[in-house]
Amino acid sequence: MGNLIFNLFSEGKIYLFFYLWFFLLAVVEISKDVKPYRNIIAAFSCLLLSLFTGLRWDTGTDWLSYKELFDTLELNWTFLLNVYAFDLGYVVFNAIVRFFSDSYVLFLLIDSFLAVGIVFLFLKKYSPNPNMSIFVFYNAFFVAQFMGSNRRIISLGAGLFIFYHICQKKYKKFALWELVAFLFHRTSIMISLGWLVPRKRFSTNKIITILLLCLIIGIPQLPFKLVGILGDLLSAFSGNSFVEKLLYYSENKEAGISESTNPIILMTLSVVKRSIFISFYFYVINQNKGLLDNITDYFFNIYIIGFAMYLLFNGSPIFQMISTYYTFIEIVLIGRIWNYTRLQAKFIFLVVLFFYGFFQLLSSLNAYSELYIPYKTFLT
């Protein structure tokens, strides 16, 4: 961790610049004078983020596999329909861009503007404090998720709209956004389980029970072992692409884990971080006598379920990633809860957020710091 901090301050200053910039905007957003311009400021921030990830070169995770797909893509349906390693929507998306240009930089820019643009549209509509949302988004999700997983970042943004339309029971719009998410990443089908999440906010006792139970089951990694057993049972159907992936992830426990990480340490840090946020949410809810709007209540439940899923699948980052679809709601939840927070409490929590944001940024960079630092552009 010491080496990471040194590298961050010596060669990764651009990450610190964005961290301080977004924190400053979150503070300024408190002012009533700034409120009318909050969406314009948020739009500019999202423009910067789109350029930041769109203009990178050999920076971030999964660089080689995604670039190889784009470079070797053949523009015929026989080839496109037989690319099993990537989802059909993402392959067709590559083909459309490749039809007009063989520039991978152009593809990354379009992919980045699309992914970040979806997030911005959602925050503009449903987060009363979009700049606070962007600060949490940058530290907790942008670096770790949006600077590498070119296809899943589309599904993550679509997932926000899916949860909203589930909450509002808008079936056609739900189906449309679920189709978009599924075409870019099949794991997003798990978002549909949001229909099973109650709209009435969980009680404090129920939340504690759910999280403790998942923590107790997750520590000995029982769910992951069950997945391994299921993989063995399905081994007879190994010709199926879904089964093959299940077999791979059940047989390779360390798939997706950097040598510098430890599952127990990661889970501990996650528990500490999310406990701080949940405690803050409890405080605000109590200050408002338990009265929040229905959408915020539902988003809060989604967040709790995502955290529970993370604890349940301890030791398996691949399956824990599915929980990200649920915990990603955090970026809009903080913006909505912030609207119910009293001014004095806001300034106190901002102090906490300042340090939280820095350590969250370190956590995002820690697993594969050599892939992020130094940040390189296509001009390098």
Side-chain angles (χ1 to χ4, degrees):
M1 185 65 74
N3 289 335
L4 173 59
I5 295 175
F6 176 79
N7 291 334
L8 186 61
F9 277 89
S10 60
E11 298 182 278
K13 294 185 182 69
I14 190 168
Y15 295 101
L16 292 174
F17 166 78
F18 281 116
Y19 158 70
L20 293 173
W21 170 257
F22 295 134
F23 179 77
L24 177 63
L25 293 182
V27 174
V28 171
E29 190 175 48
I30 295 176
S31 171
K32 293 181 180 180
D33 295 331
V34 177
K35 283 289 184 182
Y37 309 103
R38 63 188 184 277
N39 286 327
I40 297 176
I41 297 172
F44 179 69
S45 294
C46 287
L47 172 64
L48 291 179
L49 288 178
S50 298
L51 292 173
F52 184 52
T53 187
L55 296 176
R56 63 192 168 90
W57 191 262
D58 197 16
T59 301
T61 57
D62 298 330
W63 175 265
L64 292 178
S65 58
Y66 284 121
K67 189 176 185 302
E68 182 181 7
L69 170 68
F70 184 82
D71 290 340
T72 60
L73 200 66
E74 296 179 16
L75 299 179
N76 64 77
W77 282 106
T78 301
F79 179 86
L80 298 179
L81 294 174
N82 285 280
V83 181
Y84 296 112
F86 297 93
D87 301 273
L88 179 61
Y90 181 73
V91 174
V92 173
F93 178 41
N94 274 261
I96 293 173
V97 177
R98 184 70 190 278
F99 179 79
F100 294 99
S101 172
D102 60 358
S103 171
Y104 189 58
V105 174
L106 176 63
F107 172 79
L108 280 181
L109 280 170
I110 296 174
D111 184 57
S112 301
F113 272 95
L114 181 61
V116 178
I118 292 174
V119 172
F120 169 71
L121 288 177
F122 191 83
L123 295 180
K124 180 183 176 183
K125 281 188 172 185
Y126 305 115
S127 175
N129 300 276
N131 293 287
M132 169 57 73
S133 294
I134 290 174
F135 174 69
V136 175
F137 167 54
Y138 172 72
N139 295 300
F141 299 98
F142 178 79
V143 174
Q145 306 290 338
F146 280 62
M147 293 185 68
S149 186
N150 296 351
R151 53 196 170 117
R152 199 161 71 92
I153 56 179
I154 305 293
S155 297
L156 281 171
L160 296 173
F161 282 95
I162 293 171
F163 285 129
Y164 174 78
H165 294 312
I166 289 176
C167 179
Q168 299 297 93
K169 296 184 179 180
K170 296 182 177 180
Y171 303 103
K172 291 182 180 179
K173 291 184 178 180
F174 156 77
L176 177 62
W177 280 105
E178 181 60 68
L179 177 61
V180 171
F182 183 77
L183 285 174
F184 276 84
H185 213 287
R186 282 166 290 208
T187 58
S188 62
I189 193 66
M190 299 299 292
I191 303 175
S192 298
L193 295 177
W195 286 104
L196 303 178
V197 179
R199 289 164 180 78
K200 182 179 179 181
R201 189 175 65 248
F202 291 139
S203 66
T204 302
N205 289 337
K206 184 173 290 186
I207 290 172
I208 294 174
T209 301
I210 291 173
L211 296 180
L212 279 179
L213 184 62
C214 289
L215 180 63
I216 293 171
I217 296 175
I219 289 176
Q221 301 179 2
L222 294 180
F224 183 77
K225 293 174 181 176
L226 289 176
V227 170
I229 295 173
L230 180 61
D232 292 337
L233 292 175
L234 294 175
S235 59
F237 305 96
S238 58
N240 181 279
S241 60
F242 173 79
V243 174
E244 286 183 345
K245 286 190 175 183
L246 181 64
L247 286 169
Y248 174 76
Y249 292 135
S250 62
E251 292 170 358
N252 294 273
K253 179 178 177 180
E254 303 303 320
I257 303 179
S258 167
E259 293 180 359
S260 63
T261 61
N262 179 291
I264 298 299
I265 293 177
L266 287 176
M267 185 174 70
T268 302
L269 291 174
S270 179
V271 168
V272 172
K273 172 224 167 177
R274 300 200 188 283
S275 295
I276 292 174
F277 270 76
I278 292 174
S279 298
F280 172 69
Y281 296 153
F282 280 157
Y283 170 77
V284 175
I285 291 170
N286 182 62
Q287 288 293 304
N288 287 272
K289 299 180 180 179
L291 300 177
L292 303 179
D293 62 275
N294 294 334
I295 296 175
T296 303
D297 283 341
Y298 179 70
F299 286 174
F300 181 72
N301 287 352
I302 291 294
Y303 179 70
I304 295 298
I305 293 300
F307 185 25
M309 292 170 63
Y310 182 89
L311 296 176
L312 196 61
F313 286 101
N314 171 49
S316 175
I318 300 301
F319 291 101
Q320 283 180 326
M321 283 183 182
I322 294 176
S323 71
T324 306
Y325 290 114
Y326 287 75
T327 55
F328 193 50
I329 205 71
E330 175 181 46
I331 69 173
V332 69
L333 179 61
I334 183 64
R336 298 182 73 89
I337 292 287
W338 202 242
N339 225 33
Y340 290 96
T341 308
R342 296 175 182 176
L343 186 60
Q344 184 178 4
K346 284 182 178 180
F347 283 111
I348 294 174
F349 194 63
L350 277 171
V351 175
V352 176
L353 278 179
F354 181 80
F355 293 101
Y356 148 78
F358 180 71
F359 286 107
Q360 182 63 58
L361 179 60
L362 289 178
S363 177
S364 297
L365 293 169
N366 183 54
Y368 304 101
S369 60
E370 70 280 1
L371 300 181
Y372 294 103
I373 302 174
Y375 171 83
K376 299 184 287 289
T377 72
F378 73 100
L379 295 173
T380 303

